[in-house]
Amino acid sequence: DTGVSQNPRHKITKRGQNVTFRCDPISEHNRLYWYRQTLGQGPEFLTYFQNEAQLEKSRLLSDRFSAERPKGSFSTLEIQRTEQGDSAMYLCASSTRPYGYTFGSGTRLTVV
Amino acid sequence: AQSVTQLDSHVSVSEGTPVLLRCNYSSSYSPSLFWYVQHPNKGLQLLLKYTSAATLVKGINGFEAEFKKSETSFHLTKPSAHMSDAAEYFCVLRREYGNKLVFGAGTILRVKS
């Protein structure tokens, strides 16, 4: 068990490009979460999966954002037509019960 | 709405002196509260959690926190700071419905030698 793995660690992209991030949760965890952390702020909830079902989405998740969790294993977060305001750390977490969150190290996105 | 407020954005202490990081919460129910620590380029690590059992909660690395309902507070303390404690600390509330965590803005702890 190597914990929650996120790739890539860093991503620099030009405005208007699409980017995709991947999260591999702890294998026995059925719940997976995405959070976004901007500079000087605490992480903010984006979306939540239980197995392959996306059960909740934040209003922060605009139409340009889409998340998937095929087969209830790894998850991807795609941002289309990136904007400078999308620059942030994107954190993934997994759990198997309400309190047992494990966070990954995050993907830092810079939009230039 | 449930929320948490961390009262200090930065705290600076000398090594070997006590640490106090302050957190107030707002909730219409008895919440579950957590403290997480984030070291640079590392993931968030759980320090401790309160889930309506004992009001004084002991965590890892000598940290503890006390849940005070009358003051709606959940302050984090440590008797003696170590250089390795320098990091950003987040007070976190678990929302009543669903599994969403609500984070405070964070407190950066600096430990001087």
mmCIF file of all heavy atoms in Angstrom, chain A residues 9-10 31 33 35 37 40-45 48 50 56 91 97-105, chain B residues 32 34 36 38 41-44 46 49 51 88 90 94-95 97-106:
data_model
loop_
_atom_site.group_PDB
_atom_site.id
_atom_site.type_symbol
_atom_site.label_atom_id
_atom_site.label_comp_id
_atom_site.label_asym_id
_atom_site.label_seq_id
_atom_site.Cartn_x
_atom_site.Cartn_y
_atom_site.Cartn_z
ATOM 1 N N ARG A 9 2.855 15.371 -10.878
ATOM 2 C CA ARG A 9 3.043 16.211 -9.685
ATOM 3 C C ARG A 9 2.912 17.683 -10.038
ATOM 4 O O ARG A 9 2.398 18.474 -9.258
ATOM 5 C CB ARG A 9 4.412 15.948 -9.058
ATOM 6 C CG ARG A 9 4.564 14.566 -8.460
ATOM 7 C CD ARG A 9 3.645 14.374 -7.239
ATOM 8 N NE ARG A 9 3.869 15.378 -6.212
ATOM 9 C CZ ARG A 9 4.780 15.274 -5.249
ATOM 10 N NH1 ARG A 9 5.575 14.223 -5.195
ATOM 11 N NH2 ARG A 9 4.907 16.231 -4.346
ATOM 12 N N HIS A 10 3.408 18.023 -11.213
ATOM 13 C CA HIS A 10 3.355 19.406 -11.676
ATOM 14 C C HIS A 10 2.905 19.415 -13.135
ATOM 15 O O HIS A 10 3.276 18.520 -13.896
ATOM 16 C CB HIS A 10 4.720 20.093 -11.569
ATOM 17 C CG HIS A 10 5.307 20.063 -10.203
ATOM 18 N ND1 HIS A 10 5.019 21.010 -9.249
ATOM 19 C CD2 HIS A 10 6.151 19.196 -9.615
ATOM 20 C CE1 HIS A 10 5.684 20.729 -8.136
ATOM 21 N NE2 HIS A 10 6.374 19.639 -8.333
ATOM 22 N N ARG A 31 -14.372 5.234 -1.595
ATOM 23 C CA ARG A 31 -14.757 6.636 -1.736
ATOM 24 C C ARG A 31 -13.553 7.439 -2.228
ATOM 25 O O ARG A 31 -12.439 7.254 -1.741
ATOM 26 C CB ARG A 31 -15.262 7.192 -0.411
ATOM 27 C CG ARG A 31 -16.452 6.408 0.107
ATOM 28 C CD ARG A 31 -16.900 6.886 1.452
ATOM 29 N NE ARG A 31 -17.921 5.980 1.994
ATOM 30 C CZ ARG A 31 -18.814 6.318 2.884
ATOM 31 N NH1 ARG A 31 -18.834 7.554 3.345
ATOM 32 N NH2 ARG A 31 -19.688 5.440 3.335
ATOM 33 N N TYR A 33 -12.328 11.526 -3.516
ATOM 34 C CA TYR A 33 -12.675 12.942 -3.466
ATOM 35 C C TYR A 33 -11.637 13.751 -4.227
ATOM 36 O O TYR A 33 -10.457 13.427 -4.221
ATOM 37 C CB TYR A 33 -12.689 13.457 -2.016
ATOM 38 C CG TYR A 33 -13.404 12.551 -1.036
ATOM 39 C CD1 TYR A 33 -12.763 11.435 -0.512
ATOM 40 C CD2 TYR A 33 -14.702 12.823 -0.623
ATOM 41 C CE1 TYR A 33 -13.411 10.598 0.387
ATOM 42 C CE2 TYR A 33 -15.343 11.994 0.277
ATOM 43 C CZ TYR A 33 -14.701 10.880 0.785
ATOM 44 O OH TYR A 33 -15.337 10.061 1.667
ATOM 45 N N TYR A 35 -10.286 17.806 -4.328
ATOM 46 C CA TYR A 35 -10.300 19.129 -3.715
ATOM 47 C C TYR A 35 -9.357 20.036 -4.503
ATOM 48 O O TYR A 35 -8.413 19.569 -5.142
ATOM 49 C CB TYR A 35 -9.810 19.066 -2.260
ATOM 50 C CG TYR A 35 -10.805 18.490 -1.283
ATOM 51 C CD1 TYR A 35 -11.011 17.117 -1.202
ATOM 52 C CD2 TYR A 35 -11.549 19.313 -0.447
ATOM 53 C CE1 TYR A 35 -11.930 16.582 -0.313
ATOM 54 C CE2 TYR A 35 -12.470 18.790 0.454
ATOM 55 C CZ TYR A 35 -12.659 17.422 0.512
ATOM 56 O OH TYR A 35 -13.570 16.898 1.396
ATOM 57 N N GLN A 37 -6.909 23.541 -4.005
ATOM 58 C CA GLN A 37 -6.298 24.445 -3.023
ATOM 59 C C GLN A 37 -5.565 25.557 -3.744
ATOM 60 O O GLN A 37 -4.596 25.299 -4.464
ATOM 61 C CB GLN A 37 -5.333 23.680 -2.111
ATOM 62 C CG GLN A 37 -4.742 24.515 -0.997
ATOM 63 C CD GLN A 37 -3.830 23.704 -0.093
ATOM 64 O OE1 GLN A 37 -3.404 22.605 -0.431
ATOM 65 N NE2 GLN A 37 -3.535 24.242 1.080
ATOM 66 N N GLY A 40 -2.671 30.304 -0.265
ATOM 67 C CA GLY A 40 -3.150 30.996 0.919
ATOM 68 C C GLY A 40 -4.512 30.570 1.415
ATOM 69 O O GLY A 40 -5.045 31.173 2.349
ATOM 70 N N GLN A 41 -5.071 29.558 0.803
ATOM 71 C CA GLN A 41 -6.401 29.085 1.200
ATOM 72 C C GLN A 41 -6.355 27.610 1.574
ATOM 73 O O GLN A 41 -5.455 26.877 1.169
ATOM 74 C CB GLN A 41 -7.398 29.280 0.059
ATOM 75 C CG GLN A 41 -7.584 30.720 -0.357
ATOM 76 C CD GLN A 41 -8.182 31.559 0.752
ATOM 77 O OE1 GLN A 41 -9.075 31.117 1.477
ATOM 78 N NE2 GLN A 41 -7.695 32.772 0.907
ATOM 79 N N GLY A 42 -7.357 27.178 2.318
ATOM 80 C CA GLY A 42 -7.501 25.763 2.575
ATOM 81 C C GLY A 42 -8.140 25.072 1.382
ATOM 82 O O GLY A 42 -8.761 25.718 0.535
ATOM 83 N N PRO A 43 -7.987 23.769 1.295
ATOM 84 C CA PRO A 43 -8.607 23.030 0.191
ATOM 85 C C PRO A 43 -10.119 23.211 0.166
ATOM 86 O O PRO A 43 -10.765 23.306 1.208
ATOM 87 C CB PRO A 43 -8.231 21.576 0.496
ATOM 88 C CG PRO A 43 -6.983 21.660 1.313
ATOM 89 C CD PRO A 43 -7.165 22.897 2.145
ATOM 90 N N GLU A 44 -10.672 23.239 -1.066
ATOM 91 C CA GLU A 44 -12.122 23.352 -1.250
ATOM 92 C C GLU A 44 -12.612 22.122 -2.003
ATOM 93 O O GLU A 44 -12.001 21.685 -2.979
ATOM 94 C CB GLU A 44 -12.456 24.606 -2.057
ATOM 95 C CG GLU A 44 -12.107 25.899 -1.365
ATOM 96 C CD GLU A 44 -12.319 27.078 -2.287
ATOM 97 O OE1 GLU A 44 -11.559 27.207 -3.268
ATOM 98 O OE2 GLU A 44 -13.242 27.868 -2.028
ATOM 99 N N PHE A 45 -13.727 21.608 -1.565
ATOM 100 C CA PHE A 45 -14.312 20.400 -2.136
ATOM 101 C C PHE A 45 -14.736 20.638 -3.581
ATOM 102 O O PHE A 45 -15.349 21.663 -3.898
ATOM 103 C CB PHE A 45 -15.527 20.006 -1.297
ATOM 104 C CG PHE A 45 -16.349 18.897 -1.870
ATOM 105 C CD1 PHE A 45 -15.972 17.574 -1.717
ATOM 106 C CD2 PHE A 45 -17.513 19.176 -2.564
ATOM 107 C CE1 PHE A 45 -16.742 16.552 -2.225
ATOM 108 C CE2 PHE A 45 -18.292 18.157 -3.079
ATOM 109 C CZ PHE A 45 -17.906 16.843 -2.910
ATOM 110 N N TYR A 48 -17.107 14.129 -5.375
ATOM 111 C CA TYR A 48 -16.994 12.932 -4.551
ATOM 112 C C TYR A 48 -17.592 11.733 -5.289
ATOM 113 O O TYR A 48 -18.650 11.857 -5.897
ATOM 114 C CB TYR A 48 -17.724 13.191 -3.231
ATOM 115 C CG TYR A 48 -18.275 11.990 -2.502
ATOM 116 C CD1 TYR A 48 -17.441 10.970 -2.070
ATOM 117 C CD2 TYR A 48 -19.632 11.906 -2.205
ATOM 118 C CE1 TYR A 48 -17.947 9.885 -1.377
ATOM 119 C CE2 TYR A 48 -20.141 10.819 -1.511
ATOM 120 C CZ TYR A 48 -19.301 9.814 -1.094
ATOM 121 O OH TYR A 48 -19.798 8.744 -0.404
ATOM 122 N N GLN A 50 -18.507 7.515 -4.895
ATOM 123 C CA GLN A 50 -18.569 6.277 -4.144
ATOM 124 C C GLN A 50 -18.595 5.166 -5.174
ATOM 125 O O GLN A 50 -19.532 5.051 -5.959
ATOM 126 C CB GLN A 50 -19.795 6.209 -3.233
ATOM 127 C CG GLN A 50 -19.808 4.956 -2.367
ATOM 128 C CD GLN A 50 -20.729 5.063 -1.171
ATOM 129 O OE1 GLN A 50 -20.794 6.111 -0.537
ATOM 130 N NE2 GLN A 50 -21.425 3.996 -0.869
ATOM 131 N N GLU A 56 -21.665 13.736 -5.680
ATOM 132 C CA GLU A 56 -21.798 15.148 -5.352
ATOM 133 C C GLU A 56 -20.782 15.966 -6.132
ATOM 134 O O GLU A 56 -19.645 15.537 -6.322
ATOM 135 C CB GLU A 56 -21.593 15.373 -3.848
ATOM 136 C CG GLU A 56 -21.920 16.785 -3.394
ATOM 137 C CD GLU A 56 -21.880 16.943 -1.891
ATOM 138 O OE1 GLU A 56 -21.730 15.937 -1.175
ATOM 139 O OE2 GLU A 56 -21.997 18.094 -1.426
ATOM 140 N N LEU A 91 -6.001 18.270 -5.218
ATOM 141 C CA LEU A 91 -5.757 17.189 -4.261
ATOM 142 C C LEU A 91 -6.797 16.096 -4.418
ATOM 143 O O LEU A 91 -7.981 16.366 -4.602
ATOM 144 C CB LEU A 91 -5.830 17.720 -2.829
ATOM 145 C CG LEU A 91 -4.757 18.724 -2.416
ATOM 146 C CD1 LEU A 91 -5.147 19.403 -1.118
ATOM 147 C CD2 LEU A 91 -3.415 18.038 -2.265
ATOM 148 N N ARG A 97 -14.390 4.752 5.018
ATOM 149 C CA ARG A 97 -15.445 5.089 5.944
ATOM 150 C C ARG A 97 -15.384 6.589 6.142
ATOM 151 O O ARG A 97 -14.398 7.210 5.750
ATOM 152 C CB ARG A 97 -15.271 4.332 7.251
ATOM 153 C CG ARG A 97 -14.019 4.655 8.015
ATOM 154 C CD ARG A 97 -13.924 3.823 9.285
ATOM 155 N NE ARG A 97 -12.863 4.293 10.146
ATOM 156 C CZ ARG A 97 -11.601 3.942 10.035
ATOM 157 N NH1 ARG A 97 -11.232 3.129 9.057
ATOM 158 N NH2 ARG A 97 -10.696 4.402 10.864
ATOM 159 N N PRO A 98 -16.382 7.160 6.754
ATOM 160 C CA PRO A 98 -16.449 8.623 6.769
ATOM 161 C C PRO A 98 -15.223 9.343 7.321
ATOM 162 O O PRO A 98 -14.922 10.432 6.871
ATOM 163 C CB PRO A 98 -17.667 8.894 7.648
ATOM 164 C CG PRO A 98 -18.512 7.709 7.467
ATOM 165 C CD PRO A 98 -17.582 6.554 7.312
ATOM 166 N N TYR A 99 -14.521 8.763 8.264
ATOM 167 C CA TYR A 99 -13.448 9.524 8.881
ATOM 168 C C TYR A 99 -12.061 9.194 8.369
ATOM 169 O O TYR A 99 -11.123 9.883 8.675
ATOM 170 C CB TYR A 99 -13.464 9.292 10.401
ATOM 171 C CG TYR A 99 -14.812 9.559 11.009
ATOM 172 C CD1 TYR A 99 -15.494 8.568 11.703
ATOM 173 C CD2 TYR A 99 -15.424 10.785 10.847
ATOM 174 C CE1 TYR A 99 -16.741 8.807 12.246
ATOM 175 C CE2 TYR A 99 -16.666 11.031 11.383
ATOM 176 C CZ TYR A 99 -17.317 10.040 12.089
ATOM 177 O OH TYR A 99 -18.546 10.274 12.615
ATOM 178 N N GLY A 100 -11.947 8.160 7.600
ATOM 179 C CA GLY A 100 -10.609 7.679 7.248
ATOM 180 C C GLY A 100 -10.057 8.247 5.964
ATOM 181 O O GLY A 100 -9.772 7.508 5.035
ATOM 182 N N TYR A 101 -9.934 9.548 5.854
ATOM 183 C CA TYR A 101 -9.385 10.164 4.662
ATOM 184 C C TYR A 101 -7.875 9.982 4.582
ATOM 185 O O TYR A 101 -7.164 10.154 5.561
ATOM 186 C CB TYR A 101 -9.624 11.673 4.689
ATOM 187 C CG TYR A 101 -10.976 12.142 4.229
ATOM 188 C CD1 TYR A 101 -12.120 11.886 4.962
ATOM 189 C CD2 TYR A 101 -11.098 12.884 3.058
ATOM 190 C CE1 TYR A 101 -13.347 12.348 4.538
ATOM 191 C CE2 TYR A 101 -12.325 13.358 2.637
ATOM 192 C CZ TYR A 101 -13.442 13.090 3.366
ATOM 193 O OH TYR A 101 -14.658 13.546 2.958
ATOM 194 N N THR A 102 -7.385 9.668 3.371
ATOM 195 C CA THR A 102 -5.959 9.721 3.064
ATOM 196 C C THR A 102 -5.799 10.592 1.835
ATOM 197 O O THR A 102 -6.420 10.324 0.804
ATOM 198 C CB THR A 102 -5.389 8.320 2.797
ATOM 199 O OG1 THR A 102 -5.577 7.492 3.945
ATOM 200 C CG2 THR A 102 -3.900 8.409 2.497
ATOM 201 N N PHE A 103 -4.965 11.618 1.955
ATOM 202 C CA PHE A 103 -4.766 12.548 0.849
ATOM 203 C C PHE A 103 -3.521 12.185 0.060
ATOM 204 O O PHE A 103 -2.522 11.705 0.615
ATOM 205 C CB PHE A 103 -4.606 13.973 1.383
ATOM 206 C CG PHE A 103 -5.904 14.637 1.726
ATOM 207 C CD1 PHE A 103 -6.472 14.472 2.981
ATOM 208 C CD2 PHE A 103 -6.558 15.427 0.797
ATOM 209 C CE1 PHE A 103 -7.678 15.077 3.302
ATOM 210 C CE2 PHE A 103 -7.765 16.043 1.105
ATOM 211 C CZ PHE A 103 -8.323 15.869 2.357
ATOM 212 N N GLY A 104 -3.549 12.456 -1.225
ATOM 213 C CA GLY A 104 -2.367 12.386 -2.061
ATOM 214 C C GLY A 104 -1.557 13.671 -1.948
ATOM 215 O O GLY A 104 -1.970 14.615 -1.268
ATOM 216 N N SER A 105 -0.418 13.695 -2.617
ATOM 217 C CA SER A 105 0.468 14.871 -2.555
ATOM 218 C C SER A 105 0.032 15.987 -3.491
ATOM 219 O O SER A 105 0.566 17.090 -3.414
ATOM 220 C CB SER A 105 1.899 14.463 -2.879
ATOM 221 O OG SER A 105 2.366 13.544 -1.917
ATOM 222 N N SER B 32 -18.011 16.725 13.648
ATOM 223 C CA SER B 32 -16.746 16.006 13.674
ATOM 224 C C SER B 32 -15.673 16.994 13.233
ATOM 225 O O SER B 32 -15.829 17.659 12.206
ATOM 226 C CB SER B 32 -16.771 14.808 12.725
ATOM 227 O OG SER B 32 -17.720 13.858 13.143
ATOM 228 N N PHE B 34 -11.353 17.936 12.851
ATOM 229 C CA PHE B 34 -10.045 17.351 12.601
ATOM 230 C C PHE B 34 -9.000 18.465 12.544
ATOM 231 O O PHE B 34 -9.303 19.614 12.262
ATOM 232 C CB PHE B 34 -10.009 16.623 11.239
ATOM 233 C CG PHE B 34 -11.147 15.667 11.008
ATOM 234 C CD1 PHE B 34 -12.392 16.117 10.587
ATOM 235 C CD2 PHE B 34 -10.957 14.304 11.170
ATOM 236 C CE1 PHE B 34 -13.435 15.238 10.360
ATOM 237 C CE2 PHE B 34 -11.999 13.414 10.937
ATOM 238 C CZ PHE B 34 -13.234 13.886 10.537
ATOM 239 N N TYR B 36 -5.350 18.784 10.416
ATOM 240 C CA TYR B 36 -4.420 18.212 9.452
ATOM 241 C C TYR B 36 -3.182 19.087 9.388
ATOM 242 O O TYR B 36 -3.252 20.302 9.599
ATOM 243 C CB TYR B 36 -5.041 18.170 8.046
ATOM 244 C CG TYR B 36 -5.981 17.010 7.800
ATOM 245 C CD1 TYR B 36 -7.310 17.075 8.192
ATOM 246 C CD2 TYR B 36 -5.541 15.853 7.156
ATOM 247 C CE1 TYR B 36 -8.176 16.009 7.956
ATOM 248 C CE2 TYR B 36 -6.403 14.795 6.911
ATOM 249 C CZ TYR B 36 -7.716 14.878 7.316
ATOM 250 O OH TYR B 36 -8.569 13.825 7.078
ATOM 251 N N GLN B 38 0.221 20.013 6.822
ATOM 252 C CA GLN B 38 0.743 19.921 5.451
ATOM 253 C C GLN B 38 2.158 20.477 5.415
ATOM 254 O O GLN B 38 2.360 21.674 5.595
ATOM 255 C CB GLN B 38 -0.160 20.685 4.482
ATOM 256 C CG GLN B 38 0.199 20.500 3.017
ATOM 257 C CD GLN B 38 -0.813 21.202 2.097
ATOM 258 O OE1 GLN B 38 -1.290 22.291 2.382
ATOM 259 N NE2 GLN B 38 -1.138 20.557 0.971
ATOM 260 N N ASN B 41 5.330 20.425 -0.198
ATOM 261 C CA ASN B 41 5.402 19.366 -1.212
ATOM 262 C C ASN B 41 5.001 17.996 -0.681
ATOM 263 O O ASN B 41 5.405 16.972 -1.242
ATOM 264 C CB ASN B 41 6.811 19.292 -1.803
ATOM 265 C CG ASN B 41 7.209 20.599 -2.450
ATOM 266 O OD1 ASN B 41 6.430 21.207 -3.179
ATOM 267 N ND2 ASN B 41 8.408 21.061 -2.158
ATOM 268 N N LYS B 42 4.238 17.984 0.389
ATOM 269 C CA LYS B 42 3.746 16.713 0.926
ATOM 270 C C LYS B 42 2.223 16.759 0.987
ATOM 271 O O LYS B 42 1.602 17.824 0.952
ATOM 272 C CB LYS B 42 4.293 16.499 2.349
ATOM 273 C CG LYS B 42 5.801 16.351 2.422
ATOM 274 C CD LYS B 42 6.236 14.938 2.176
ATOM 275 C CE LYS B 42 7.732 14.742 2.336
ATOM 276 N NZ LYS B 42 8.156 14.774 3.744
ATOM 277 N N GLY B 43 1.619 15.572 1.114
ATOM 278 C CA GLY B 43 0.174 15.503 1.251
ATOM 279 C C GLY B 43 -0.284 15.916 2.632
ATOM 280 O O GLY B 43 0.515 16.067 3.551
ATOM 281 N N LEU B 44 -1.573 16.099 2.784
ATOM 282 C CA LEU B 44 -2.164 16.418 4.083
ATOM 283 C C LEU B 44 -2.133 15.188 4.981
ATOM 284 O O LEU B 44 -2.533 14.103 4.564
ATOM 285 C CB LEU B 44 -3.607 16.882 3.894
ATOM 286 C CG LEU B 44 -3.776 18.251 3.264
ATOM 287 C CD1 LEU B 44 -5.130 18.378 2.594
ATOM 288 C CD2 LEU B 44 -3.606 19.326 4.324
ATOM 289 N N LEU B 46 -3.297 13.575 8.723
ATOM 290 C CA LEU B 46 -4.200 13.726 9.854
ATOM 291 C C LEU B 46 -3.420 13.731 11.164
ATOM 292 O O LEU B 46 -2.644 12.817 11.447
ATOM 293 C CB LEU B 46 -5.220 12.589 9.861
ATOM 294 C CG LEU B 46 -6.229 12.596 11.012
ATOM 295 C CD1 LEU B 46 -7.162 13.807 10.891
ATOM 296 C CD2 LEU B 46 -7.045 11.304 11.009
ATOM 297 N N LYS B 49 -8.503 13.701 15.524
ATOM 298 C CA LYS B 49 -9.905 13.895 15.166
ATOM 299 C C LYS B 49 -10.778 13.833 16.405
ATOM 300 O O LYS B 49 -10.490 13.096 17.359
ATOM 301 C CB LYS B 49 -10.353 12.845 14.157
ATOM 302 C CG LYS B 49 -10.258 11.408 14.651
ATOM 303 C CD LYS B 49 -10.590 10.441 13.534
ATOM 304 C CE LYS B 49 -10.489 8.989 14.007
ATOM 305 N NZ LYS B 49 -10.666 8.026 12.903
ATOM 306 N N THR B 51 -14.731 13.085 17.437
ATOM 307 C CA THR B 51 -15.971 12.535 16.892
ATOM 308 C C THR B 51 -16.965 12.278 18.011
ATOM 309 O O THR B 51 -17.591 11.228 18.062
ATOM 310 C CB THR B 51 -15.689 11.236 16.125
ATOM 311 O OG1 THR B 51 -15.004 10.313 17.001
ATOM 312 C CG2 THR B 51 -14.840 11.488 14.915
ATOM 313 N N GLU B 88 2.145 23.947 7.652
ATOM 314 C CA GLU B 88 0.848 24.609 7.666
ATOM 315 C C GLU B 88 -0.176 23.655 8.281
ATOM 316 O O GLU B 88 -0.180 22.459 7.972
ATOM 317 C CB GLU B 88 0.418 25.010 6.253
ATOM 318 C CG GLU B 88 -0.845 25.857 6.241
ATOM 319 C CD GLU B 88 -1.048 26.621 4.938
ATOM 320 O OE1 GLU B 88 -0.445 26.237 3.915
ATOM 321 O OE2 GLU B 88 -1.823 27.611 4.950
ATOM 322 N N PHE B 90 -4.260 22.850 9.278
ATOM 323 C CA PHE B 90 -5.637 23.132 8.890
ATOM 324 C C PHE B 90 -6.616 22.536 9.896
ATOM 325 O O PHE B 90 -6.514 21.350 10.249
ATOM 326 C CB PHE B 90 -5.946 22.542 7.509
ATOM 327 C CG PHE B 90 -5.205 23.196 6.381
ATOM 328 C CD1 PHE B 90 -4.026 22.646 5.901
ATOM 329 C CD2 PHE B 90 -5.680 24.371 5.805
ATOM 330 C CE1 PHE B 90 -3.330 23.249 4.867
ATOM 331 C CE2 PHE B 90 -4.991 24.977 4.774
ATOM 332 C CZ PHE B 90 -3.813 24.420 4.304
ATOM 333 N N ARG B 94 -16.215 18.119 9.346
ATOM 334 C CA ARG B 94 -16.901 17.226 8.404
ATOM 335 C C ARG B 94 -18.371 17.612 8.391
ATOM 336 O O ARG B 94 -19.018 17.698 9.432
ATOM 337 C CB ARG B 94 -16.756 15.764 8.791
ATOM 338 C CG ARG B 94 -17.335 14.824 7.727
ATOM 339 C CD ARG B 94 -17.134 13.375 8.095
ATOM 340 N NE ARG B 94 -18.098 12.915 9.086
ATOM 341 C CZ ARG B 94 -19.281 12.389 8.784
ATOM 342 N NH1 ARG B 94 -19.657 12.274 7.518
ATOM 343 N NH2 ARG B 94 -20.089 11.966 9.736
ATOM 344 N N ARG B 95 -18.860 17.857 7.183
ATOM 345 C CA ARG B 95 -20.234 18.270 7.027
ATOM 346 C C ARG B 95 -21.195 17.205 7.495
ATOM 347 O O ARG B 95 -20.902 16.018 7.400
ATOM 348 C CB ARG B 95 -20.501 18.612 5.554
ATOM 349 C CG ARG B 95 -21.614 19.577 5.317
ATOM 350 C CD ARG B 95 -21.765 19.840 3.839
ATOM 351 N NE ARG B 95 -22.070 18.625 3.098
ATOM 352 C CZ ARG B 95 -22.334 18.591 1.799
ATOM 353 N NH1 ARG B 95 -22.304 19.713 1.105
ATOM 354 N NH2 ARG B 95 -22.588 17.465 1.190
ATOM 355 N N TYR B 97 -24.064 16.095 6.373
ATOM 356 C CA TYR B 97 -24.564 15.154 5.369
ATOM 357 C C TYR B 97 -23.502 14.947 4.303
ATOM 358 O O TYR B 97 -22.858 15.886 3.872
ATOM 359 C CB TYR B 97 -25.847 15.684 4.729
ATOM 360 C CG TYR B 97 -26.952 15.873 5.737
ATOM 361 C CD1 TYR B 97 -27.352 17.141 6.137
ATOM 362 C CD2 TYR B 97 -27.576 14.770 6.305
ATOM 363 C CE1 TYR B 97 -28.345 17.308 7.067
ATOM 364 C CE2 TYR B 97 -28.576 14.937 7.241
ATOM 365 C CZ TYR B 97 -28.955 16.204 7.616
ATOM 366 O OH TYR B 97 -29.947 16.363 8.546
ATOM 367 N N GLY B 98 -23.348 13.730 3.910
ATOM 368 C CA GLY B 98 -22.307 13.436 2.932
ATOM 369 C C GLY B 98 -20.953 13.347 3.607
ATOM 370 O O GLY B 98 -20.851 13.211 4.823
ATOM 371 N N ASN B 99 -19.927 13.426 2.830
ATOM 372 C CA ASN B 99 -18.589 13.236 3.370
ATOM 373 C C ASN B 99 -17.686 14.421 3.116
ATOM 374 O O ASN B 99 -16.482 14.327 3.229
ATOM 375 C CB ASN B 99 -17.972 11.985 2.764
ATOM 376 C CG ASN B 99 -18.709 10.746 3.208
ATOM 377 O OD1 ASN B 99 -18.511 10.258 4.302
ATOM 378 N ND2 ASN B 99 -19.590 10.269 2.358
ATOM 379 N N LYS B 100 -18.254 15.539 2.790
ATOM 380 C CA LYS B 100 -17.453 16.701 2.436
ATOM 381 C C LYS B 100 -16.757 17.261 3.666
ATOM 382 O O LYS B 100 -17.347 17.393 4.728
ATOM 383 C CB LYS B 100 -18.369 17.762 1.835
ATOM 384 C CG LYS B 100 -17.732 19.095 1.552
ATOM 385 C CD LYS B 100 -18.783 20.046 1.006
ATOM 386 C CE LYS B 100 -18.302 21.464 0.963
ATOM 387 N NZ LYS B 100 -19.349 22.381 0.470
ATOM 388 N N LEU B 101 -15.468 17.572 3.502
ATOM 389 C CA LEU B 101 -14.699 18.237 4.539
ATOM 390 C C LEU B 101 -14.646 19.726 4.239
ATOM 391 O O LEU B 101 -14.448 20.136 3.093
ATOM 392 C CB LEU B 101 -13.271 17.689 4.589
ATOM 393 C CG LEU B 101 -13.096 16.216 4.959
ATOM 394 C CD1 LEU B 101 -11.618 15.842 4.975
ATOM 395 C CD2 LEU B 101 -13.763 15.883 6.273
ATOM 396 N N VAL B 102 -14.821 20.534 5.286
ATOM 397 C CA VAL B 102 -14.737 21.984 5.159
ATOM 398 C C VAL B 102 -13.472 22.435 5.876
ATOM 399 O O VAL B 102 -13.331 22.224 7.087
ATOM 400 C CB VAL B 102 -15.974 22.663 5.758
ATOM 401 C CG1 VAL B 102 -15.837 24.175 5.664
ATOM 402 C CG2 VAL B 102 -17.242 22.191 5.048
ATOM 403 N N PHE B 103 -12.554 23.033 5.135
ATOM 404 C CA PHE B 103 -11.258 23.426 5.668
ATOM 405 C C PHE B 103 -11.247 24.889 6.096
ATOM 406 O O PHE B 103 -11.867 25.744 5.465
ATOM 407 C CB PHE B 103 -10.171 23.249 4.606
ATOM 408 C CG PHE B 103 -9.757 21.826 4.370
ATOM 409 C CD1 PHE B 103 -10.555 20.967 3.629
ATOM 410 C CD2 PHE B 103 -8.546 21.344 4.864
ATOM 411 C CE1 PHE B 103 -10.165 19.649 3.399
ATOM 412 C CE2 PHE B 103 -8.147 20.038 4.635
ATOM 413 C CZ PHE B 103 -8.964 19.191 3.911
ATOM 414 N N GLY B 104 -10.475 25.168 7.155
ATOM 415 C CA GLY B 104 -10.142 26.536 7.455
ATOM 416 C C GLY B 104 -9.074 27.022 6.485
ATOM 417 O O GLY B 104 -8.564 26.260 5.653
ATOM 418 N N ALA B 105 -8.715 28.292 6.604
ATOM 419 C CA ALA B 105 -7.760 28.892 5.668
ATOM 420 C C ALA B 105 -6.316 28.492 5.954
ATOM 421 O O ALA B 105 -5.434 28.727 5.140
ATOM 422 C CB ALA B 105 -7.888 30.412 5.690
ATOM 423 N N GLY B 106 -6.089 27.891 7.127
ATOM 424 C CA GLY B 106 -4.748 27.410 7.444
ATOM 425 C C GLY B 106 -3.977 28.359 8.342
ATOM 426 O O GLY B 106 -4.180 29.580 8.315
#
